[in-house]
Amino acid sequence: MKRDLKGRRVLLTGASGGIGRSLADQLAQAGACVAVVARQADKLNALVQSLKGHGAEAVAIAADITSAADRQRAVQTAVERFGGLDVLINNAGVGSFAHFVDSTEEILRQIMEVNFFAPAELIRLAIGILSEGRQPCIVNVASMCGRRGIPAWSEYSASKFALCGLSEALRAELVRFSIDVLVIVPGLTRSDLGAHLLRNSGRMKIRFDQGMPPETVAAGIVRALVANRAETVLGGEAKWMLRLNRWLPRIVDRLIARRVRKLYAT
């Protein structure tokens, strides 16, 4: 099944920058009506003005997705503005780069709230509305860390594993509502994640500036949405790592362990 994005009503979280901003722009160019959600109202308003300048229908919703009231308001606003909803894209996320022993319960809970509980509850709110939509779909933007846990990204990996697991379960559950559930698994991306880490004390050098451009990831998400691809891995590094981990997981374990020992030898 091919999904036509023209006229499709989309609710997109994490839209103020990086992948989300690029994705909003590309969805609008494809003819979709886009409700963009993030905490930073000024950036959202600027984005909406840009989208409207290209003839797209768009609305900005300043909201904290970890707030139940804000989630309800975001969904309600999109429905009132567009008359319904066809696509929910859970893109908002936060990370921490530190070894688990050096981190805190507060950071773990914050990451789980943003990366897992908020998307899960947005899905719960949207199911009844999406079931009446056209070619309805839920897109969960995970990470290669959601398919292979990475040292110093322990909390982030846990949250993305949870999101992938939920997606797989819901893919079967929501068949009765004709709602598709897609998972996006990007590798290292030149996004805002690295600039807003809750903690940044890992020793491995992460070159976010050498990651994929957010426009490339956004284009991959749009292609997956159109093609209705259940799971899409984006980026050569992610494809290589996950393919090796699938067939030779012990070798991946050894390589990662060797790297960690070297980093912490002193």
Side-chain angles (χ1 to χ4, degrees):
M1 178 194 77
K2 291 286 186 180
R3 179 175 283 104
D4 184 3
L5 296 181
K6 190 172 184 179
R8 292 297 183 265
R9 300 159 296 182
V10 182
L11 179 63
L12 167 65
T13 69
S16 60
I19 295 171
R21 185 180 180 87
S22 296
L23 184 53
D25 186 61
Q26 293 186 32
L27 287 167
Q29 289 182 38
C33 306
V34 190
V36 290
V37 181
R39 290 180 299 175
Q40 296 169 295
D42 55 341
K43 290 186 176 181
L44 283 183
N45 290 329
L47 171 59
V48 166
Q49 290 306 311
S50 173
L51 299 179
K52 287 182 176 180
H54 296 296
E57 187 173 356
V59 59
I61 307 170
D64 177 356
I65 61 168
T66 66
S67 161
D70 279 14
R71 290 193 296 267
Q72 180 72 54
R73 179 170 55 82
V75 172
Q76 185 176 349
T77 301
V79 171
E80 289 176 352
R81 179 63 179 269
F82 300 143
L85 197 62
D86 303 306
V87 180
L88 168 64
I89 304 179
N90 286 308
N91 169 70
V94 67
S96 173
F97 181 50
H99 279 230
F100 190 75
V101 70
D102 299 322
S103 193
T104 66
E105 179 183 351
E106 181 183 8
I107 286 176
L108 173 59
R109 290 186 179 278
Q110 187 172 348
I111 289 174
M112 292 301 294
E113 285 288 347
V114 175
N115 295 359
F116 177 68
F117 290 116
E121 294 308 321
L122 272 172
I123 290 170
R124 200 191 309 274
L125 282 172
I127 287 173
I129 300 162
L130 288 170
S131 66
E132 298 179 356
R134 295 166 290 172
Q135 294 180 300
C137 183
I138 296 164
V139 181
N140 290 326
V141 181
S143 162
M144 64 179 289
C145 292
R147 290 304 190 192
R148 167 73 212 197
I150 303 296
W153 294 96
S154 46
E155 297 108 334
Y156 184 74
S157 295
S159 68
K160 294 300 186 178
F161 261 87
L163 187 61
C164 288
L166 177 67
S167 302
E168 290 176 355
L170 290 181
R171 187 175 295 135
E173 284 190 28
L174 299 185
V175 165
R176 64 194 178 108
F177 300 117
S178 298
I179 300 173
D180 298 309
V181 180
L182 314 184
V183 177
I184 309 297
V185 183
L188 186 64
T189 304
R190 202 183 307 154
S191 70
D192 295 340
L193 181 69
H196 298 101
L197 293 170
L198 300 181
R199 191 176 178 90
N200 190 2
S201 61
R203 294 193 180 184
M204 186 178 294
K205 196 171 185 63
I206 306 294
R207 296 299 302 269
F208 284 99
D209 60 319
Q210 295 181 4
M212 292 180 289
E215 296 82 3
T216 299
V217 178
I221 296 172
V222 171
R223 288 194 301 271
L225 187 54
V226 170
N228 201 41
R229 202 173 299 127
E231 182 162 330
T232 303
V233 179
L234 298 173
E237 177 189 33
K239 290 177 181 177
W240 174 85
M241 168 72 85
L242 297 182
R243 190 175 294 122
L244 184 61
N245 188 66
R246 179 179 180 183
W247 299 109
L248 300 167
R250 291 187 179 181
I251 288 180
V252 176
D253 286 342
R254 291 193 194 106
L255 290 173
I256 290 175
R258 183 186 303 167
R259 178 65 171 158
V260 170
R261 289 193 188 97
K262 184 176 181 180
L263 286 169
Y264 286 82
T266 56

